[in-house]
Each structure stands twice: as structure tokens, then as C-alpha cells.
Amino acid sequence: MNEASKGVGSVVYEARGLKKNYDGGQVAALRGVDFDIREGEFVAIVGPSGCGKSTLLQMLGSLDKPSEGSLSYRGRLISALEDPSDYRSTEIGFVFQSFHLLPTFTVSENVQIPMFETGLSRGEREVRAHELLVSVGLSHRLKHFPSELSGGERQRVAIARSLANRPSVLLADEPTGNLDSENAAHVVELLLKLHQELGMTLVLVTHDLGIAALATRTIRMKDGRVVDETTPLTHAS
Amino acid sequence: MTFFTVVVRGLIRRPVRTGLTLLGISIGIGAVVTLVGMSWGYEKSIGKQLDVIGIDVVVSNMSGGLMPKVFDETLQDKVAALPKVADTTTVLMLMLSIEDAPMMMVSGREWGGFTWEKLEVLEGRLPKDDKEFAVVLGKLAAEVLKKKVGDTVQIEADELPVVGIVDGHAVVENGAVILSLSVLQEISSNQGKVNFIDVRVPEGTPEKEVMELCETVNGLFPEGRAKLASEVVGTSQGYRLARAMSWSTSLLAIIVGVLGVMNTMLMTVFERTHEIGILLAVGWKRRRILYMVLCESALLGFLGGVTGVGLGALGLKILEFTPAIRGLLEPDLSPKLLLTSVAIAVVVGVVSGLYPGWRSSRLSPSRALNL
Ligand SMILES: Nc1ncnc2c1ncn2[C@@H]1O[C@H](COP(=O)(O)OP(=O)(O)OP(=O)(O)O)[C@@H](O)[C@H]1O
Ligand SMILES: [Mg+2]
């Protein structure tokens, strides 16, 4: 996968004429979106509030189904997946703006939650959660509850959780939206490291153009459509 | 952390609600244990009584109420003349309110019959003859009535002296007031009437032949029935009614339990919609969500069942010592009853979890997450 992060990899996501309506067609959140996302890319999705960024990310994460058009993951239609939970648990990791940690579980337990869907033993789950939390710099917080952590720490727990089953794709919806600049920088640094060192494909929705500038490519959206795709010069090297 | 941890965590997040639900189930299961324990206990107690006395076949007309209807005692001679009959004796058994005790067995026994054999005199003596106007009390009956030898007991309109206290080696025997048949016939105006003929067959008679004997007796006594001792209780109408009532009350308790647990589980899955969305988003299968909810409600049921069995056992113990019941029956606290009750509670839990579990497993992850 390191190879992939350097050059142009195979197509991970392919969207064609992707539409999503809510409330029986009254709200058109996506009005026909086309794009390809390749292995090892870091794609930033930007655009004004309400333009459909989160909706798009939910389609990518198979949290919701498109109304029209096709979206495939590595050549297979996501809407045709027999069991999207397998895809969600092992292929992708999801990081949300509001962390979405489970309040009644400790930090370590939150990271272990996705591992129930894989065949890991209890001991293996604990060890792996520990390793992941070490890698996000939270080894001293294993037994704390989310409510006892700062926003930045919570988001790092969420990142550790998203990596629980070693996915190849990370989907992040404004992961720094609820964080102050210092914590935001820390989280971005972590995500960038995953992209660069592990070659993970990273799709990140953000309002922060500074973060978007770090991406290999930016997809700009407006009113449910892609209006522009740019590859910042900074990344050409 | 194991999956069980996840299940437990779901229950202890709302300790008060979980506690109240548990209390609800345990009261329901407690009621089941108490009622069924009483009804099984009654059956067992009578069975033990017949066994102790050594009765093989009971001839009676069970179509009455709590006690069989009386019939003419001359039937005894016809039964005694049948082949395979070793011994017979007649009994007039009445359920009467005596002094402060609302219900007591009053057993008038044919003088010289084998029903007197196993009575062990603890104090005083047995009646002198079939004419003596006197009673002996089973030791529990003496306790309940607070009587000792030399006191009198009022039966219907008559005051009868207590001449002895006996141990009959079965709760029902010990709870009875025992006197000579002819005396009871006289004071209850049942001259010439009895409601039981107890029959002994020769030792080692095969059950098939005993059943044939029953058939023959049934021919002689069309309005009544001869029953193997082991079947006697089940055919009493009063007992059937009591059993039906205990089961239907139990069923009611179970339905209330199901509704209670279902309500709790629905509340818990509604308030956890967002968290279930998270579980779906991190890749939990719908089946696992359903399983989690079912395990939670099964665990609720199990814990409620165990507590309920404790409550029920306590209830039975208390009932066993209430004067109204003391000596009438020995409640059944068999492992079978306790295990059945816990099993019922678990089933209650699982059944109650089905709908809430199904609801939560159908949630749309994106919608659940955005709540
Ligand atoms: N579940 C829903 N039901 C109805 N309308 C919805 C739903 N989800 C999103 N929408 C609508 O779809 C449009 C796109 O929403 P979306 O959340 O994708 O925007 P966004 O680009 O992520 O905005 P923001 O930057 O504020 O997060 C909005 O008009 C929104 O109101
Ligand atoms: Mg959004």
C-alpha cells in the first residue's frame, strides 16, 4: 500500500450520477455526483454548509443508500453488498465531527467494540486496543470514560476505534470541527501520518482550507454537485 | 471486555429502572412459585398420606367440591367381596371450619380399619371404641388449634374432648382432626354415609390387575370412581379448580412480566437509538444488535427469575406456617419447580426482547446516528 500512496493506485470508489433525496424527494441533497477515488489518495471534500458533503460521506460509508446512480467500492456496487456491516467493519473506518463514542464504555472498550465482528479473542482485542491507543498517544487513558476526556482526546479515541479492524479506507466528516486549533492540529497530524505511513486512502470533509491544502486532491461541492476538483501544487512533489 | 460485558453495561446504565423491572419480574415469578408450589404441594401431600397409610385404591365420588360427595357405606361390603381386595376401610372426611381455623380436615375413620394403624400416639391415647365421643389431633392440628390432651374441640354443634395427640407421618395426617367414623357420622348428620372407601390389594399385585379391579368397582358404583392412589388427587374437582386457578394466575403474572420487560427494553432501545447507530456504523451486524437486546432482556429475566424464586420460596415457607394452611398441605419446593420458574423467567425475558430487539436492529444507521 505504500506503493499506492506514492503513485496512482487502483480505483477504490467510483461514483456515477449519484443522487440522494430526502423526505420523499423534497430535499435533494446530492443531485448527480461523479468522481473516482484511488488507492492511497487523500481527498478533501469542501463546500458550503448544506451542500451534501456529509450525505456523500454517508453513502461512501454505506450508512445510507443512494436514491439514484451507482457507487462502487473496488469494483463492487455498495448498494448491492450482501451485508454492508462487513464492509463497514473491515474495509473502512469512520471518524465523525461529534466523535460518537459510547458513553458507558471506557476508552479501551470503545476501541474494542468494532472488533467483536472479527474473530479476535478477548486478549487479542485488548492488546490491539492498547496498541492503537498508544499510537494515538492515549496509553494513559485506557480506563477513562469519554466524558473524562477533552475533545481532542475523544477524537483520538475515535480515530483509534476507526482503525480497530485495520481498514484500508478512512472516512472523516469534519473530524476537527469540534476542536480548538491545537487539538485540531494534533488530529490532522495523526490522520496525515496514517495516510502517509500506512498508505491509507483518506476521504475527509472539512471547512478548514488549511487542512484541505494538505490533501492530494480537493473535491469542491455546491448544492449537491461537484463543482471543481483540484490537485494542490504543494502535493505534486 | 467480552460481549457479556456489553450486555451487562446496557442493564446497569439505568440501575433504578433495571431494579424496578427486576422487582416486577421477581414478584411475578414469586407468585408463580407460590401458587404452583401450593398446588403441587397439595398433590404431593395427599400422595404421601395415601402412601404412608398404605392405600392402593381409593373409591370416591370426586364430582363434589373440595371434598367428594358422600355415598352409602354399604358399598364397602360389595367392594370387599371382590377378588384382589385384601382389605377395605371407610372414611368420612369433611373440610370444616373449627374454632379459629378456617379449614381443617376432619377425618372420621371406621373403627378398627387400617387407617388407624400408622397413627403414633405422642400424648394421651386413641379413642377407646367406636362409640367414644372424642377426637385425637394430628400434631400440626394440635398446634394450629392450640389444644392439648384434656381440652375440647368444637365440631359443628358438639364439644368433643381431645384424648390424644398423634403423629401420622404425613403433613396431611398431622393436620387432621381424627375420630371414629360413627361419631362423625352422628355429629355431622351423615348416618350411614361415607365419602371414601380405602382399599388395599395383596402385596405385589401387578398394576394391570389393580386397574382391572378399579374397572370392576366402577361397574358397581357408576356415580363414583375407583382410582389408583397415585391418581387420586388429580381427579378431585376442587383440586383441578385450584390447579387451574394457580396456573391462570401464574399466566397473568407472566403476561404482566412480559409487558413490563418489554416496556423496559423498548425504553432502553429508544433512548439508545443513537448508540445503536454508532454500533451499526462501526460495523456491527444487525443480528448482533438483536442478539444484544435479547441477551439483555434474557439476563433481566434470569435475574428476576432467581430473585423471584427466592421470594416465592420465602412465600411458601411463610404460607406453610400460616394457621390457615398449616397441616393441610406441605408446599412443594422441588428443584423442578424452581428450575421451571427460572426457565419461565428467561423465556419471559427473551420473548419480551424480541420486538424491541427487532426494532433496534432495523434502524437506519445514518438516521440513528444523526439523532
Ligand atoms: N436525514 C435527512 N433528512 C432530510 N434532509 C436531510 C437529511 N440529511 C441531510 N439533509 C439535507 O440534505 C442537505 C445536505 O446535507 P448535508 O448534511 O450533507 O450537508 P453538509 O454539506 O454536510 O453540511 P454541513 O457543512 O453543515 O455539515 C441539507 O439541505 C440537509 O438539510
Ligand atoms: Mg456535514
Side-chain angles (χ1 to χ4, degrees):
Chain A
M1 268 201 253
N2 275 331
E3 277 314 298
S5 69
K6 286 173 196 146
V8 181
S10 54
V11 175
V12 179
Y13 289 110
E14 184 186 273
R16 293 294 177 265
L18 195 62
K19 292 186 183 170
K20 178 67 185 178
N21 300 324
Y22 287 111
D23 300 333
Q26 286 181 19
V27 182
L30 296 177
R31 301 161 184 254
V33 171
D34 300 76
F35 59 79
D36 286 354
I37 293 174
R38 292 176 176 275
E39 188 84 61
E41 270 195 297
F42 170 6
V43 176
I45 300 178
V46 297
S49 181
C51 69
K53 305 181 296 293
S54 297
T55 305
L56 178 60
L57 216 61
Q58 284 181 0
M59 303 293 129
L60 293 178
S62 94
L63 297 181
D64 210 340
K65 285 194 158 72
S67 311
E68 259 182 71
S70 70
L71 177 64
S72 47
Y73 172 77
R74 298 188 193 279
R76 292 171 62 197
L77 277 178
I78 290 182
S79 54
L81 287 177
E82 215 170 279
D83 188 355
S85 65
D86 277 340
Y87 164 74
R88 291 197 286 258
S89 71
T90 54
E91 300 293 329
I92 62 164
F94 222 124
V95 180
F96 306 88
Q97 176 173 358
S98 47
F99 323 128
H100 288 343
L101 296 176
L102 298 168
T104 52
F105 293 87
T106 65
V107 162
S108 166
E109 288 165 346
N110 262 284
V111 176
Q112 290 174 52
I113 285 282
M115 300 181 199
F116 281 107
E117 287 300 345
T118 53
L120 295 179
S121 71
R122 175 187 180 173
E124 288 166 333
R125 289 197 293 265
E126 278 163 10
V127 167
R128 189 185 283 186
H130 188 233
E131 287 167 3
L132 287 167
L133 286 162
V134 167
S135 74
V136 298
L138 287 175
S139 54
H140 56 302
R141 293 293 208 183
L142 299 180
K143 296 229 151 45
H144 288 73
F145 285 90
S147 59
E148 299 165 335
L149 304 185
S150 74
E153 287 171 324
R154 286 183 211 183
Q155 196 58 303
R156 276 142 66 194
V157 176
I159 292 173
R161 178 184 64 188
S162 74
L163 302 173
N165 295 327
R166 307 204 167 124
S168 61
V169 176
L170 208 57
L171 306 173
D173 191 353
E174 299 187 40
T176 58
N178 279 351
L179 304 180
D180 59 45
S181 54
E182 194 181 323
N183 275 308
H186 197 154
V187 163
V188 169
E189 188 189 318
L190 208 58
L191 293 174
L192 212 53
K193 200 172 92 179
L194 292 169
H195 164 62
Q196 288 170 343
E197 290 179 7
L198 300 175
M200 288 182 75
T201 306
L202 177 57
V203 183
L204 182 143
V205 169
T206 184
H207 278 124
D208 185 331
L209 295 179
I211 296 173
L214 300 168
T216 44
R217 187 153 60 97
T218 302
I219 295 180
R220 208 170 292 279
M221 292 181 66
K222 199 179 174 201
D223 290 337
R225 290 200 174 84
V226 175
V227 291
D228 187 21
E229 292 190 38
T230 50
T231 309
L233 285 173
T234 48
H235 214 282
S237 52
Chain B
M1 177 181 61
T2 62
F3 188 69
F4 188 67
T5 321
V6 178
V7 170
V8 171
R9 214 58 72 80
L11 287 179
I12 59 178
R13 58 184 293 148
R14 289 268 185 265
V16 175
R17 182 171 63 203
T18 301
L20 286 174
T21 313
L22 279 180
L23 190 65
I25 312 171
S26 39
I27 290 174
I29 292 296
V32 172
V33 169
T34 312
L35 290 166
V36 178
M38 296 281 284
S39 119
W40 286 7
Y42 178 70
E43 196 168 356
K44 264 179 136 173
S45 308
I46 302 287
K48 179 154 179 224
Q49 178 191 30
L50 300 179
D51 193 51
V52 166
I53 301 175
I55 300 172
D56 297 310
V57 172
V58 176
V59 182
S60 65
N61 180 354
M62 283 294 186
S63 63
L66 211 46
M67 278 291 137
K69 278 191 189 151
V70 294
F71 54 86
D72 217 281
E73 64 186 358
T74 51
L75 182 65
Q76 183 189 10
D77 297 335
K78 296 185 202 159
V79 173
L82 295 172
K84 292 292 174 194
V85 172
D87 200 354
T88 61
T89 184
T90 49
V91 176
L92 175 62
M93 183 113 78
L94 302 175
M95 192 72 102
L96 296 175
S97 158
I98 293 181
E99 301 185 359
D100 290 339
M103 269 212 286
M104 294 215 91
M105 293 269 203
V106 180
S107 174
R109 300 177 174 189
E110 183 191 7
W111 187 250
F114 62 76
T115 43
W116 292 95
E117 278 173 15
K118 290 285 160 26
L119 298 180
E120 181 190 337
V121 178
L122 299 176
E123 265 176 67
R125 56 174 176 82
L126 295 180
K128 278 199 292 286
D129 54 44
D130 69 323
K131 292 282 175 285
E132 186 181 349
F133 241 64
V135 300
V136 295
L137 300 178
K139 58 181 185 180
L140 290 177
E143 214 177 278
V144 171
L145 294 170
K146 301 191 189 72
K147 299 286 182 188
K148 44 191 199 306
V149 174
D151 293 344
T152 59
V153 168
Q154 182 164 0
I155 300 177
E156 306 284 43
D158 295 270
E159 290 267 346
L160 288 93
V162 175
V163 294
I165 309 280
V166 296
D167 183 356
H169 308 288
V171 170
V172 187
E173 286 283 273
N174 288 336
V177 176
I178 300 166
L179 68 171
S180 154
L181 172 65
S182 48
V183 174
L184 184 59
Q185 283 173 331
E186 194 181 327
I187 62 179
S188 66
S189 316
N190 274 309
Q191 279 85 354
K193 301 286 182 187
V194 294
N195 55 5
F196 288 101
I197 302 173
D198 295 335
V199 179
R200 279 180 177 175
V201 297
E203 200 139 343
T205 311
E207 186 164 309
K208 193 169 151 283
E209 288 178 27
V210 182
M211 277 174 14
E212 280 164 13
L213 170 63
C214 291
E215 285 306 308
T216 321
V217 176
N218 289 343
L220 289 174
F221 183 37
E223 63 279 23
R225 295 203 62 78
K227 286 275 163 198
L228 295 185
S230 56
E231 296 171 354
V232 167
V233 187
T235 51
S236 142
Q237 272 200 356
Y239 173 69
R240 278 201 208 161
L241 184 69
R243 184 167 58 182
M245 272 168 58
S246 77
W247 276 116
S248 50
T249 312
S250 298
L251 192 68
L252 219 63
I254 289 167
I255 291 171
V256 172
V258 166
L259 293 178
V261 180
M262 195 180 294
N263 182 50
T264 297
M265 291 314 294
L266 273 176
M267 274 167 73
T268 177
V269 301
F270 281 149
E271 75 181 20
R272 278 148 73 192
T273 300
H274 178 72
E275 290 170 38
I276 290 166
I278 296 175
L279 294 173
L280 288 168
V282 302
W284 270 33
K285 290 190 168 42
R286 296 187 179 279
R287 216 178 325 128
R288 185 174 297 275
I289 308 269
L290 173 65
Y291 186 56
M292 175 182 79
V293 174
L294 284 183
C295 284
E296 273 182 37
S297 62
L299 184 60
L300 256 184
F302 175 75
L303 295 175
V306 170
T307 336
V309 160
L311 280 182
L314 191 72
L316 283 179
K317 277 289 159 209
I318 292 172
L319 281 177
E320 187 176 351
F321 289 97
T322 42
I325 284 166
R326 189 136 170 81
L328 285 181
L329 60 92
E330 184 175 27
D332 179 79
L333 255 182
S334 59
K336 180 182 163 201
L337 174 61
L338 304 188
L339 290 177
T340 310
S341 307
V342 174
I344 288 174
V346 173
V347 172
V348 164
V350 172
V351 168
S352 324
L354 283 173
Y355 176 63
W358 178 79
R359 284 279 304 241
S360 49
S361 75
R362 298 325 303 163
L363 285 172
S364 140
S366 67
R367 209 162 293 172
L369 267 181
N370 291 327
L371 280 177

